[in-house]
Amino acid sequence: MKKTYIYSLLFVFALIFNACTYDFIAEEELPPVDPNVDVLFSTQIQPIFTDKCIACHKPGGEAPDLTAANAYNSIKGMNLVNTATPATSGIYTFPNYQAPTHTWKQYSAAEAQLVLTWIQQGAKNN
Ligand code: HEC
């Protein structure tokens, strides 16, 4: 009886300890995105596209065209942002590391959070 009690106690502690560790690591990986400070398309979102996406998403390549000159209009034109329900936006969900449908390239957790915050703030061409 006593042994069982101690084991269940240990189990509960293990669960709590694990949960804390996980939260801590997850928080550490994410940059502190302040929802009250505008995420800028030109200097924070476009560089992600330029770095990871334009090898395929360029004029004459896959749509959307994510090159600097065309990315904003291309994303808007294809309805890849939904400011009413930001988390359903194609530009967020399709290459999201949590929803691996787009196996060629994916956002890191930090990039995904930036893209989502940008959409939540109205997906401005800023
Ligand atoms: C190696 C080539 C390649 C790279 C790099 C790439 N993609 Fe794609 N992407 C594709 C292909 C091919 C498709 C279309 C196939 C499909 O729909 O599954 C696609 C489809 C998409 C779509 C869906 C468009 C639609 O029709 O709804 C989005 C959004 C997208 N990519 C965003 C990105 C973003 C953002 C990046 C950079 C983080 C990126 N892609 C990098 C090849 C690539």
Side-chain angles (χ1 to χ4, degrees), residues 43-124:
T43 57
Q44 291 175 277
I45 304 297
Q46 183 60 49
I48 302 171
F49 297 156
T50 303
D51 181 37
K52 295 183 125 173
C53 317
I54 61 170
C56 305
H57 293 278
K58 60 186 173 198
E62 293 296 332
D65 178 351
L66 295 175
T67 55
N70 306 318
Y72 188 80
N73 289 336
S74 188
I75 292 168
K76 285 282 192 163
M78 285 180 70
N79 278 326
L80 291 170
V81 289
N82 183 342
T83 48
T85 48
T88 65
S89 304
I91 196 64
Y92 168 67
T93 57
F94 208 75
N96 195 338
Y97 75 108
Q98 289 174 313
T101 43
H102 185 270
T103 48
W104 305 275
K105 265 293 189 248
Q106 307 220 301
Y107 297 133
S108 66
E111 290 165 348
Q113 201 192 8
L114 264 185
V115 170
L116 181 62
T117 307
W118 172 69
I119 300 166
Q120 286 166 338
Q121 292 172 342
K124 287 174 262 180

Side-chain angles (χ1 to χ4, degrees), residues 6-27:
I6 289 172
Y7 279 132
S8 18
L9 211 63
L10 277 176
F11 182 65
V12 169
F13 273 126
L15 275 183
I16 292 171
F17 188 72
N18 262 337
C20 291
T21 314
Y22 177 77
D23 282 352
F24 178 70
I25 290 172
E27 247 170 61

